[in-house]
Amino acid sequence: MMAALEASYPVLVWLHVLLLVVWLGGDIGVFLLGQHFRRRDRYSLETRLVLLKLLVALDMGPRSAWALMVPSSIALLAAGGWWPGLGEVQLALALGIGLLWLLLIWVAHRHDQTALAARCRQLEGVLRWALAGFYLGVGLLMLRNGGPLPGFLAWKALLFGFIFVAAILIDWAFRPVGPRLVALIRDGSSDATELPLRAAMDRTRIFVLAVYALLLATSFLGVVQPAL
């Protein structure tokens, strides 16, 4: 299995880049739809709610790509020989985690506003914090010990961990949006319903921009592979 994995290294690199494209490209689309949703002066409430539905649907692409980045990153480390000692057990574990995360995302999406969806999102939150700790820990440990990962990959792992933290903070900042959106739909568009919703949505932007910056930094490290 490991020999076949090593032979497929170029394909794994391509898949990794493809996941980045889906993640970053889709996320920019989500961001733009969110910007248009804010334009109460340009669109009717009905049109804005359609934009919001498109936003939620489009967001499944970046969320799915993020989950698959976990097995993709571990497979690249093993296939490229970057981390000696990674074997079939670790690869199977990474794949299982990625597929479990993917399942939680899609079950929550398909059964939105149900107890099952709430439970899936709760489990996903625990998983994301655990993965944040894993990537941050790996990055810090490798930088402190000087290996076995080379410097650029240690920094990439560390920054990937910070992506988890920033994305978790996006969901945290976005939490008040749900009740305020319900109030907007129920009571109609007015300053009383629009301004609190706008403020809640605006609070997420700093974390969204942080994710974009971190994604660009990690992709730069992966492609340029500077001596660090």
Side-chain angles (χ1 to χ4, degrees), residues 49-123:
L49 292 176
V50 171
L51 292 175
L52 193 61
K53 289 181 179 179
L54 291 173
L55 182 155
V56 172
L58 181 60
D59 193 41
M60 294 305 294
R63 286 181 178 272
S64 300
W66 184 19
L68 293 174
M69 277 288 190
V70 173
S72 173
S73 63
I74 301 302
L76 276 176
L77 290 177
W82 297 107
W83 191 344
L86 279 181
E88 296 180 4
V89 173
Q90 291 84 357
L91 288 170
L93 180 60
L95 181 60
I97 290 172
L99 293 178
L100 172 62
W101 187 2
L102 196 64
L103 178 65
L104 292 173
I105 291 169
W106 279 96
V107 170
H109 176 69
R110 295 294 298 272
H111 300 275
D112 197 22
Q113 306 298 321
T114 66
L116 176 60
R119 181 60 175 163
C120 285
R121 292 190 175 108
Q122 184 181 36
L123 292 173

Side-chain angles (χ1 to χ4, degrees), residues 133-198:
F134 169 75
Y135 281 101
L136 289 171
V138 166
L140 289 172
L141 187 64
M142 297 297 172
L143 287 172
R144 188 191 71 177
N145 295 342
L149 289 182
F152 77 91
L153 281 178
W155 275 105
K156 188 176 180 183
L158 185 65
L159 294 180
F160 194 47
F162 281 121
I163 289 175
F164 276 86
V165 175
I168 290 167
L169 290 173
I170 290 173
D171 286 349
W172 170 80
F174 203 77
R175 196 170 296 168
V177 168
R180 293 173 185 180
L181 182 61
V182 170
L184 173 65
I185 297 171
R186 182 188 64 234
D187 302 331
S189 179
S190 67
D191 284 350
T193 56
E194 294 278 4
L195 294 181
L197 176 62
R198 174 70 179 265

Side-chain angles (χ1 to χ4, degrees), residues 16-17 20 24 69 152 156 159 163 212-226:
H16 199 68
V17 172
L20 172 67
L24 184 57
M69 277 288 190
F152 77 91
K156 188 176 180 183
L159 294 180
I163 289 175
Y212 294 165
L214 289 165
L215 278 172
L216 290 174
T218 56
S219 60
F220 174 84
L221 290 173
V223 173
V224 177
Q225 299 182 4

